[in-house]
Amino acid sequence: MPNGNDPHTINSNELVAWPRIAAIAAMLSFSLPTFITGLEIHQSSSVSNTLWALVIGSLILTLIGGAMGTIGVKSRLSSYLLVKIAFGNAGAGIVNIAFALSLIGWFGVNIDLFSNAVVRLLSAEFNIIMPEWPIDIVAGCAMLITTLYGFKAINVLASIMIPILAAVTAMMLFGALDSMLLVDFINLEKSASLSLEDGVAAIVGGVIIGAIILPDITRFSKQKRGGVYTSFIAYMVIELLVIFVAVFAAAAMQETEILSLMLALNLGFSAFFIVIAGSWILNSLNLYSTALSVEATFPHWHKKWVIVLLGLVGIGAAFINILDMFISFLAFLSDIFVPVAGVIIVDALFIKPHAYNAAALVNNANFSLPAFSAWFVGAAYAVCNGALFNVSMSGITVIDAIILTAVIYTLFAKAIAPKPVIQQ
């Protein structure tokens, strides 16, 4: 965890080499939601559209994550303090609460997925029948305890687990190759109801929040280009390969559900590593980032009690079957705060790069009208596009929203910026 004086800023002795940062970001690609995304795209899309969606979606995530990660390296600030600089002290409270709601929601969703997967694996492999609620509690507490020890604990866990998860993913690939050759997969003809644009949107939408809050971990990088390297490894390499393996294995084994696919490939106990390790790391990071957002809004709250409270709320969310009712709400929240990236990237790289440091927070503005105006327009477009109208440049609403927000913020910031005084 960052230093005790301010959990959002760090000391030089807390910096680590960028591959360790990339290992944490890459670990998220081995989580259940990533594999499920691949299977869902495969079910509804042609092979060519699926492959193009993988490449284009991964590229978009790499660009956004690279920009946000670089800002984190340069400023050494968490994503929530970056929001403070861009939106002002009071304004950031609204944005940070939106982040916290979405992330704690995902915490509950992932516990739900985790417990359901473990119950099914125990039944299939060991003929053990048990309810989900004890697993919800044990898994949630394990993730909570890991988060209490902060970034270093998550880092160690990721470093241990990623070789195992890579090996299990390779087993999935080679198992699928026993049933289908790659050339047969490429030439596979199947009905498709999902367009290329929708496929790209699915790839981007599932990971975009992680790309936006990438500064939470890249700020620990010793190397200046650590943010770019981390984003490239996480999204352009690992994420792309993992989803491709899921898609190819689903085609080879003719399965549409992740656990059925794992069992059909005779992964057996190895499947537990993907389910347990991937979900553990993902949810520890979700809780870690949620705690940072709450601490940024309420700086006098004790950080450990914040983590415990949020963890218990996330476990409680899993108990009320949050997976059945919360996905649409999470999608709505994503539309609301994803355009925040457009504001921060433009502000930190072009409008006022000198302001992105801990010292600038001392005299930080209370409210930024250009930032909120741009955010409102971008979020309104993201929410309404497809429901009230259908206007898109890229075919991906969330990307159009980020671009629109960035353009409007640039115009507003330039128009409202104070004019220099000319001495006579």
Side-chain angles (χ1 to χ4, degrees):
M1 185 67 81
N3 67 75
N5 295 327
D6 186 347
H8 299 272
T9 58
I10 57 178
N11 296 320
S12 58
N13 61 353
E14 296 174 299
L15 302 181
V16 298
W18 74 263
R20 295 177 63 184
I21 309 289
I24 294 177
M27 271 292 303
L28 305 185
S29 299
F30 294 104
S31 62
L32 279 178
T34 305
F35 285 98
I36 292 171
T37 297
L39 266 64
E40 289 183 347
I41 293 175
H42 165 71
Q43 289 182 52
S44 306
S45 183
S46 67
V47 173
S48 61
N49 276 0
T50 297
L51 296 178
W52 276 114
L54 277 174
V55 174
I56 296 171
S58 298
L59 180 60
I60 292 170
L61 289 168
T62 300
L63 293 174
I64 295 174
M68 292 299 298
T70 298
I71 295 169
V73 174
K74 289 183 176 180
S75 66
R76 302 299 183 195
L77 300 175
S78 70
S79 57
Y80 307 101
L81 288 186
L82 300 180
V83 169
K84 254 189 175 181
I85 295 172
F87 287 83
N89 293 336
I94 301 172
V95 182
N96 286 336
I97 291 302
F99 272 103
L101 284 173
S102 182
L103 288 168
I104 204 65
W106 273 115
F107 186 86
V109 166
N110 282 306
I111 290 179
D112 239 359
L113 287 171
F114 174 86
S115 58
N116 178 264
V118 170
V119 165
R120 290 193 56 190
L121 283 170
L122 288 174
S123 175
E125 290 299 302
F126 308 106
N127 199 29
I128 297 174
I129 307 299
M130 67 178 300
E132 293 184 13
W133 67 264
I135 301 173
D136 286 340
I137 294 175
V138 173
C141 289
M143 297 163 186
L144 192 159
I145 291 169
T146 303
T147 310
L148 282 173
Y149 286 94
F151 177 80
K152 288 186 177 180
I154 298 171
N155 191 311
V156 170
L157 188 60
S159 299
I160 294 172
M161 292 297 186
I162 197 167
I164 300 173
L165 291 175
V168 173
T169 305
M171 290 168 59
M172 183 181 290
L173 174 61
F174 291 125
L177 284 171
D178 288 339
S179 299
M180 175 181 282
L181 298 175
L182 283 174
V183 65
D184 294 330
F185 167 69
I186 294 173
N187 295 322
L188 184 66
E189 294 185 6
K190 56 194 291 287
S191 59
S193 59
L194 193 70
S195 66
L196 172 62
E197 291 78 13
D198 290 337
V200 173
I203 298 292
V204 174
V207 187
I208 189 67
I209 297 174
I212 293 173
I213 63 174
L214 203 60
D216 289 349
I217 58 175
T218 60
R219 64 200 178 110
F220 291 93
S221 173
K222 286 181 179 178
Q223 293 80 14
K224 292 182 179 180
R225 295 187 178 273
V228 173
Y229 298 153
T230 294
S231 182
F232 180 81
I233 294 298
Y235 305 128
M236 204 66 211
V237 179
I238 304 299
E239 178 92 7
L240 190 152
L241 287 176
V242 169
I243 295 181
F244 171 78
V245 169
V247 168
F248 175 62
M253 306 308 295
Q254 297 184 352
E255 293 285 353
T256 59
E257 201 274 330
I258 183 60
L259 291 175
S260 299
L261 173 61
M262 290 178 178
L263 295 173
L265 289 167
N266 296 316
L267 289 180
F269 188 72
S270 299
F272 275 98
F273 284 108
I274 286 179
V275 172
I276 294 174
S279 298
W280 192 349
I281 295 292
L282 176 62
N283 254 9
S284 292
L285 276 177
N286 278 339
L287 187 55
Y288 175 69
S289 293
T290 308
L292 288 178
S293 72
V294 173
E295 287 179 84
T297 308
F298 305 102
H300 299 298
W301 290 14
H302 194 283
K303 61 184 179 184
K304 289 188 177 180
W305 286 113
V306 168
I307 291 171
V308 171
L309 176 62
L310 292 172
L312 293 177
V313 171
I315 294 171
F319 269 96
I320 61 173
N321 295 318
I322 193 172
L323 187 61
D324 297 334
M325 67 182 84
F326 210 61
I327 293 295
S328 58
F329 182 51
L330 290 173
F332 175 75
L333 283 177
S334 295
D335 287 340
I336 293 296
F337 68 70
V338 159
V340 169
V343 173
I344 295 176
I345 290 172
V346 169
D347 198 45
L349 299 182
F350 304 106
I351 303 298
K352 54 176 195 290
H354 59 279
Y356 279 75
N357 56 71
L361 287 164
V362 176
N363 297 312
N364 195 44
N366 194 48
F367 188 85
S368 171
L369 180 60
F372 261 86
S373 300
W375 180 33
F376 177 81
V377 174
Y381 166 81
V383 171
C384 296
N385 192 40
L388 300 181
F389 53 82
N390 194 358
V391 179
S392 178
M393 295 181 294
S394 69
I396 307 164
T397 297
V398 72
I399 299 305
D400 288 335
I402 291 175
I403 295 173
L404 177 63
T405 304
V407 170
I408 292 176
Y409 177 68
T410 301
L411 296 175
F412 282 14
K414 295 292 186 182
I416 299 177
K419 304 295 186 293
V421 178
I422 300 176
Q423 299 292 336
Q424 298 294 333

